[in-house]
Amino acid sequence: MLLVQYQTCSRTSKPHRLHTFMLVPIFRFLSSFPLPVLHAVGGALGWVVYLMSSSHRRHMRANMAQAGYTHHLSAAIAEAGKSILELPFIWCADPARVSRHATLENWQLVQHELDAGRGIVFLTPHLGCFEIVAQEIALRTELMVMYRPPRQAALKPLIEDARARDNLLLAPANMGGVRMLAKFLKKGRPIGLLPDQVPQEGDGVWATFFGRDAYTMTLPAKLAQLGDATVIVTYAERLPAGRGYVIHFVPFTASLAGDTASQAQAINTAMEQLIARHPAQYYWSYNRYKVPHGVEAPQHGAAA
C-alpha cells in the first residue's frame, strides 16, 4: 500500500464499466467473511493461479531459486493466494474491524521519532500483507504515501476508497509528488515507500538483490537525506490460520553514505534480511529483474 504499482486508464469502455459495477459489490460482499475463511480459500486459490499462469509460475520459481528459497515454494504459492483474497477485507471492511486483526511490534521505535519531531521514511517491501501497514500507521499519525492510479479502471474505486482514510495523504508518482514527500519530511512528518519495486527509466541504479543485478530505486535514500529523516523498515507478517497480522517496525542500521549505487545496495541488503524472516510471504512472482524501457541492461544481464 505504501506505493501502489498500478497505472492510469485514460478511457473506460462499456465492458470495463460493467466490470467495475460487478467488482466493487463482489469485494464488499467478500469483506463480510471472517479473515480465516478468506485465507483458507485464498490458499487454494494460490494453487489455481500457479497452475494456470505460466508467467506467474516461471517468475516465482526462478526468483525463489535465485534467492535460495525453493524449499519454501509450496508455502509461497498458498501465501500468494492469501494475499489476493485478503484484499477485500483490508480494503472494504470497517477500519476498526481490520485493526482488531493487527498487532504492532516495536511501535515505540516510531513514537520516539515522532515525539522528537523527526521525519520518518518507512520502507515496506512486498512482504506479507503490505496493504495493511499504511492503514495502521495512519491510525496513529499523519502519513503521506506515493500513489499511482490503477491501470484497471475496475480497481480504482476500491483502491481510492481504501486510501480515503483520515491521516493518510496521497502523493502522485511524479516529480510533483516527490516534492510533496520532501516537503512533508522537512516538516518532521512520516512518508512511506515500497523500495523493491522496479523504478522507471532514470529513477534507479543497478544493485545486487539476492545475488543478481536488479534495477533499484534511488528515491528512498535521496528523500531520507534531504529531509534529515530516520529510515524505518516495516512489514506485516501474516499469521497462520487467519489469526491476523503482526506489523513489525525494524531499525535501518545500514549507512546511506556514499554514492547512489552504494545507497541502493544498502537498502537491497536490508530488504534481503527482512525477507529471510518469512521467505514464503514475499511477492516472488514479481519480475524484479526486468530491464525498464530505455535502461541499459547490466553487464551480467537481467530477466526479460
Side-chain angles (χ1 to χ4, degrees), residues 23-33 88 92-93 157-158 161:
L23 191 58
V24 172
I26 288 173
F27 264 57
R28 288 176 178 165
F29 170 72
L30 290 174
S31 72
S32 66
F33 285 85
C92 301
L158 292 170
D161 284 352

Side-chain angles (χ1 to χ4, degrees), residues 135-264:
Q135 293 188 20
E136 287 300 309
I137 294 174
L139 288 176
R140 295 159 175 83
T141 184
E142 200 171 35
L143 174 70
M144 182 176 290
V145 299
M146 185 169 279
Y147 170 70
R148 292 177 185 169
R151 176 183 301 169
Q152 297 178 356
L155 291 175
K156 187 172 183 178
L158 292 170
I159 296 174
E160 293 187 350
D161 284 352
R163 287 155 179 74
R165 308 287 175 91
D166 293 339
N167 282 342
L168 190 53
L169 309 177
L170 304 181
N174 53 35
M175 286 306 301
V178 172
R179 287 192 289 269
M180 289 173 61
L181 292 169
K183 185 177 180 179
F184 205 67
L185 270 180
K186 288 180 178 179
K187 292 181 178 179
R189 309 285 182 80
I191 67 168
L193 298 167
L194 287 172
D196 56 342
Q197 180 172 320
V198 178
Q200 299 178 2
E201 177 184 359
D203 295 331
V205 294
W206 292 104
T208 302
F209 185 65
F210 287 116
R212 186 174 182 180
D213 288 332
Y215 200 59
T216 303
M217 284 187 179
T218 58
L219 182 60
K222 290 178 180 177
L223 285 172
Q225 292 183 326
L226 185 63
D228 191 25
T230 299
V231 178
I232 296 178
V233 182
T234 178
Y235 71 101
E237 174 192 356
R238 187 180 298 111
L239 298 177
R243 295 202 304 269
Y245 310 92
V246 177
I247 301 178
H248 301 266
F249 296 94
V250 182
F252 182 84
T253 57
S255 172
L256 290 179
D259 58 15
T260 55
S262 299
Q263 294 167 353

Side-chain angles (χ1 to χ4, degrees), residues 121-140:
V121 177
F122 288 109
L123 298 182
T124 303
H126 291 80
L127 179 65
C129 182
F130 53 90
E131 285 286 343
I132 199 175
V133 174
Q135 293 188 20
E136 287 300 309
I137 294 174
L139 288 176
R140 295 159 175 83

